Amino acid sequence: MEIKAIITGDIVRSEQISLDKRDLLIKVLRDIVEDLQKISPMKMEMFRGDSFQIVVECPEASLKIASMIRAGLKSYSPTDAKEVWDARISIGIGTTDYQGDSIVTSDGEAFKLSGRGLDAMEKNRLAVSTCWHDVNEELDAGLAFADDLITGWSVNQAKVIYLSVAQELSQAVIANSIEKSQQNVSKMLTSAKESLLVRFLNRFETIIIKHKEL
């Protein structure tokens, strides 16, 4: 059976987001997912108002997509928001046995892994559960690092990371886009530890591709 990734997520402290901002939040999330289609084909559905589920056709891209969803949400947080927008995200990688009329009525190994991962979350905001035990063990420490890193990004750090990693723009283009100097952009990317994140995302991609082909 084909291996896919299921991303299940919910907005952090959504009850504190004012009603006039909720429509904007949903639009921003949909726009981010549409923008990330160039990384992998995917389909998203919203449920319960503040939760979402995404079927990612290329599972090796799922961690990059999840990271960039969080970066995108942070970067588009309104300046008058009580706190920076973010999401808890659980990725499940495995088979998808049943494709229903909607994503949330579908079933399979990847769906179960993703849902259980979100239910098991406590203080962390990023989790990956795969159908391979050795992969889960290898990713454990790296995921804790990536989660802590993303959670700590400021709005400006998240913005430059999104433009650099998701949109693959050069520092010069980013600087022009956000009206900052290229030196400032470089400093923000360094403080956000972009190079370490990219190394981990690349390693994740390599591991998943290798196990998919076994």
Side-chain angles (χ1 to χ4, degrees), residues 4 59 98 111 121 142 156 162 180 182 186 189 192 205 211:
K4 294 184 181 182
Y98 170 70
F111 287 95
M121 278 189 181
N156 286 334
Y162 187 85
K180 299 284 186 182
Q182 188 170 338
S186 179
L189 289 171
E205 182 175 336
H211 280 73

Side-chain angles (χ1 to χ4, degrees), residues 42-161:
M42 54 185 159
K43 180 181 177 184
M44 180 180 77
E45 287 182 8
M46 302 286 298
F47 61 100
R48 288 202 311 254
D50 65 347
S51 301
F52 55 92
Q53 198 158 51
I54 305 169
V55 178
V56 180
E57 296 296 325
C58 303
E60 61 272 18
S62 58
L63 185 58
K64 183 176 183 179
I65 289 167
S67 301
M68 292 303 101
I69 287 173
R70 292 185 62 191
L73 286 172
K74 281 174 170 281
S75 66
Y76 284 105
S77 299
T79 54
D80 60 345
K82 292 182 179 179
E83 62 180 271
V84 176
W85 287 349
D86 200 356
R88 301 187 315 147
I89 294 179
S90 170
I91 302 168
I93 297 178
T95 57
T96 53
D97 304 325
Y98 170 70
Q99 295 285 341
D101 293 333
S102 67
I103 295 174
V104 295
T105 61
S106 299
D107 197 9
E109 183 178 41
F111 287 95
K112 289 183 173 68
L113 289 170
S114 180
R116 289 169 186 162
L118 192 67
D119 290 342
M121 278 189 181
E122 294 180 354
K123 294 182 179 180
N124 56 317
R125 296 181 181 179
L126 182 65
V128 177
S129 303
T130 79
C131 54
W132 308 292
H133 180 69
D134 59 324
V135 172
N136 295 334
E137 288 189 332
E138 179 171 347
L139 293 175
D140 187 56
L143 282 167
F145 155 77
D147 184 25
D148 185 65
L149 180 65
I150 296 168
T151 300
W153 284 339
S154 67
V155 170
N156 286 334
Q157 286 175 323
K159 186 173 296 184
V160 295
I161 285 285

Side-chain angles (χ1 to χ4, degrees), residues 14-31:
S14 61
E15 71 281 356
Q16 296 183 17
I17 299 173
S18 59
L19 292 176
D20 62 312
K21 294 290 192 298
R22 293 196 181 190
D23 286 344
L24 174 61
L25 172 63
I26 292 172
K27 181 183 183 304
V28 165
L29 179 58
R30 292 190 184 281
D31 287 348

